[in-house]
């Protein structure tokens, strides 16, 4: 990319820069080290000054001081030619020239071979730089997490195991899992379209494969997802009357993360088959809405039409919600019911224990972990489809 008079914020987005003037390379390397390079030339960049403007001013040839400017630039060129960076660049150009002189039928795609471990390492560096540049975005994500966690804690504060628990706790868990699906699938849809030109370029030059790029993107998201999810759960879990124990908390955490895992894989798939993030988000709705509809709360699973039953079995929200519900109610032996409440609201107590609530919502596996296994398999399947679609696109 070539830019003229970039802003300071734009300059910080570049990993590497090439500074040229009068047909000569003055510097080629990391953008942050360019400032140090000019310090060694006794041309330091002033504090709180745009480095790009400083470089342009130092490398410009003005009409009134042409002789002085040309002499200064020659000293810059000679200094760079004596550096280690210039030697590596010259060797790389010589190697590329030799490869280009070969016959076309023996030129392979892997011009610059690199090991699989090296591909992961280099992509991880890119991901780290991307996260470092996205600190304002991460700050907004943390604030959103805090707001959502406190809002849920306020709305569902100290839900008791009485006859209203079927609406309160079931609604709380279903709402939160649906929110996670929309949030993390939406975040994942933007990754592939925004980086697809770089992925296609690197693949065509034989630098990196598709699988390392996709897996690295997943691994970069993993620590962010786990930390934000745990923060969110801590903010509301123990204030909403959910099962009060560390084991139940982490069972619920794993159930929620299984939904995040599948939603992220769906987001990667949508981003892999579309050209823009906007189109990916629209396609994402075609996956999330059926998963929400057949998640177990809105439609009785026993009444789903035969032709639509595959959608029920592909609903990751259903599996995550079933796991969370089983974790919450499988050991509840008594559901509170007062005689005064029966008289006041004119109804009889319907539920005696947690097993009857699970039966009402057709939770098929009263043990929570089989539902997590199904979500893991669904996520792996969607991730594999993402790889196939992205691999096909970069080879076109």
């Amino acid at each position: 990319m070539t830019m003229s008079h970039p802003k300071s914020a734009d300059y910080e987005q570049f990993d590497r820069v090439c500074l040229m003037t009068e047909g000569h390379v003055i510097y080629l390397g990391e953008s942050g080290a360019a400032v140090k390079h000019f310090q060694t030339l006794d041309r330091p960049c002033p504090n709180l000054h745009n480095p790009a403007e400083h470089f342009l001013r130092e490398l410009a040839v003005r009409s009134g001081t042409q002789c002085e400017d040309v002499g200064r630039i020659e000293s810059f060129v000679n200094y760079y030619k004596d550096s280690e960076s210039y030697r590596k660049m010259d060797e790389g150009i010589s190697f590329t020239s030799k490869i280009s002189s070969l016959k076309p039928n023996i030129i392979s795609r892997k011009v610059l071979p690199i090991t699989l471990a090296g591909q992961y390492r280099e992509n991880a560096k890119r991901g780290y730089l991307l996260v470092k540049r996205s600190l304002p975005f991460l700050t907004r994500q943390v604030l959103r997490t805090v707001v959502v966690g406190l809002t849920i804690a306020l709305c569902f504060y100290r839900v008791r195991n009485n006859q209203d628990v079927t609406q309160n706790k079931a609604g709380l868990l279903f709402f939160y899992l649906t929110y996670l699906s929309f949030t993390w699938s939406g975040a994942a849809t933007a990754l592939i379209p925004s980086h697809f030109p770089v992925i296609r370029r690197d693949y065509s030059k034989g630098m990196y494969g598709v699988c390392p790029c996709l897996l690295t993107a997943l691994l970069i998201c993993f620590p962010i997802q786990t930390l934000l999810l745990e923060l969110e759960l801590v903010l509301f879990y123990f204030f909403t009357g959910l099962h009060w124990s560390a084991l139940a908390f982490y069972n619920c955490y794993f159930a929620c993360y299984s939904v995040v895992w599948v939603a992220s894989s769906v987001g990667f798939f949508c981003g892999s088959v579309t050209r823009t993030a906007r189109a990916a988000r629209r396609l994402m709705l075609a996956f999330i809405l059926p998963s929400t509809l057949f998640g177990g709360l809105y439609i009785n699973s026993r009444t789903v039409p035969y032709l639509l039953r595959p959608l029920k079995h592909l609903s990751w929200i259903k599996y995550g919600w079933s796991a969370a519900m089983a974790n919450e109610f499988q050991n509840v032996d008594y559901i509170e019911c007062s005689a005064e409440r029966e008289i006041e609201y004119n109804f009889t107590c319907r539920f005696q224990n947690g097993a009857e609530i699970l039966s009402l919502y057709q939770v098929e596996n009263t043990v929570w972990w089989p539902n997590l296994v199904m979500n893991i398999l669904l996520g792996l399947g969607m991730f594999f489809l993402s790889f196939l679609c992205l691999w096909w696109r970069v080879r076109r």
Side-chain angles (χ1 to χ4, degrees):
M1 177 184 292
T2 303
M3 294 189 69
S4 177
H5 296 83
K7 298 179 181 179
S8 179
D10 295 333
Y11 178 79
E12 293 176 356
Q13 300 298 314
F14 288 94
D15 299 333
R16 297 173 61 83
V17 294
C18 177
L19 303 178
M20 299 182 64
T21 183
E22 300 296 314
H24 298 285
V25 177
I26 304 300
Y27 173 79
L28 175 63
E30 297 182 359
S31 58
V35 177
K36 296 180 181 179
H37 179 75
F38 272 78
Q39 287 180 351
T40 60
L41 297 172
D42 294 329
R43 299 287 178 175
C45 179
N47 293 331
L48 304 178
H49 195 79
N50 183 1
E53 293 183 358
H54 175 70
F55 301 153
L56 290 174
R57 185 172 60 252
E58 293 295 334
L59 301 179
V61 177
R62 302 169 184 84
S63 58
T65 58
Q66 185 174 1
C67 294
E68 179 183 348
D69 294 338
V70 170
R72 182 179 70 253
I73 290 173
E74 287 181 356
S75 66
F76 292 170
V77 173
N78 294 331
Y79 182 86
Y80 182 67
K81 286 184 176 180
D82 294 334
S83 66
E84 182 70 15
S85 177
Y86 179 83
R87 186 185 63 80
K88 292 181 179 179
M89 181 186 70
D90 188 55
E91 291 177 354
I93 293 174
S94 301
F95 174 76
T96 305
S97 300
K98 291 179 182 178
I99 293 295
S100 301
S101 64
L102 297 176
K103 294 181 180 180
N105 59 351
I106 64 173
I107 296 179
S108 64
R109 187 183 69 85
K110 294 186 177 181
V111 177
L112 298 175
I114 185 173
T115 64
L116 190 62
Q119 293 182 46
Y120 284 110
R121 183 174 59 252
E122 294 301 320
N123 278 283
K125 290 180 181 178
R126 285 186 177 181
Y128 170 75
L129 292 174
L130 177 63
V131 172
K132 190 176 179 180
R133 296 191 197 112
S134 304
L135 288 179
F137 171 76
L138 293 177
T139 302
R140 292 194 298 270
Q141 293 295 310
V142 172
L143 292 176
R144 184 211 65 196
T145 298
V146 173
V147 170
V148 171
L150 294 178
T151 302
I152 294 176
L154 181 63
C155 294
F156 295 92
Y157 183 67
R158 289 190 178 180
V159 175
R160 299 175 59 185
N161 281 341
N162 53 28
Q163 296 299 307
D164 296 330
V165 74
T166 55
Q167 179 176 353
N168 294 338
K169 285 190 177 180
L172 161 62
L173 295 172
F174 195 88
F175 163 78
Y176 185 61
L177 294 177
T178 305
Y179 156 77
L180 290 177
S181 295
F182 276 97
T183 300
W184 290 110
S185 60
T189 53
L191 287 177
I192 301 301
S194 61
H195 292 83
F196 180 75
V198 177
I199 296 174
R200 182 171 57 183
R201 181 202 65 192
D202 292 347
Y203 182 86
S204 62
K205 292 183 178 180
M207 297 174 65
Y208 307 116
V210 174
C211 188
C213 294
L214 203 57
L215 281 177
T216 305
L218 181 66
L219 294 176
I220 291 299
C221 294
F222 175 75
I224 300 174
Q225 292 172 343
T226 53
L227 292 175
L228 291 181
L229 178 61
E230 188 162 8
L231 172 61
E232 213 162 41
L233 276 176
V234 167
L235 287 174
F236 75 81
Y237 185 89
F238 297 104
F239 296 98
T240 53
L242 296 176
H243 196 176
W244 189 280
S245 72
L247 179 61
F249 171 81
Y250 281 104
N251 289 345
C252 183
Y253 173 81
F254 290 130
C256 293
Y257 188 78
S258 71
V259 171
V260 173
W261 154 244
V262 185
S264 299
S265 300
V266 169
F268 284 131
F269 173 76
C270 295
S272 299
V273 299
T274 55
R275 294 178 179 270
T276 63
R278 177 178 296 181
R281 285 192 290 268
R282 291 174 179 173
L283 180 62
M284 174 195 76
L285 295 177
F287 287 89
I288 293 185
L289 292 181
S291 181
T292 304
L293 186 62
F294 297 102
L297 183 67
Y298 298 127
I299 297 179
N300 190 312
S301 297
R302 301 188 185 97
T303 63
V304 175
Y306 182 78
L307 294 177
L308 297 180
R309 287 183 182 178
L311 296 178
K312 179 186 74 171
H313 296 297
L314 293 175
S315 173
W316 65 88
I317 294 180
K318 171 183 177 294
Y319 293 119
W321 188 60
S322 297
M325 289 286 286
N327 175 65
E328 184 63 31
F329 291 111
Q330 64 179 344
N331 295 321
V332 176
D333 298 325
Y334 174 71
I335 301 296
E336 178 183 338
C337 182
S338 62
E340 294 80 3
R341 190 171 179 79
E342 290 187 59
I343 297 173
E344 181 180 358
Y345 294 99
N346 193 23
F347 72 90
T348 57
C349 296
R350 181 176 181 182
F351 306 105
Q352 302 298 324
N353 51 49
E356 294 182 1
I357 295 177
L358 295 178
S359 176
L360 171 69
Y361 289 111
Q362 304 91 45
V363 176
E364 299 170 358
N365 292 316
T366 56
V367 181
W368 62 275
W369 64 265
N371 295 289
L372 266 65
V373 173
M374 290 301 301
N375 267 353
I376 292 173
L377 295 177
L378 280 176
L380 289 174
M382 293 303 302
F383 191 80
F384 181 69
L385 290 177
S386 305
F387 165 74
L388 290 180
C389 293
L390 191 60
W391 177 74
W392 177 75
R393 285 185 64 192
V394 298
R395 288 176 60 88
R396 290 175 59 184

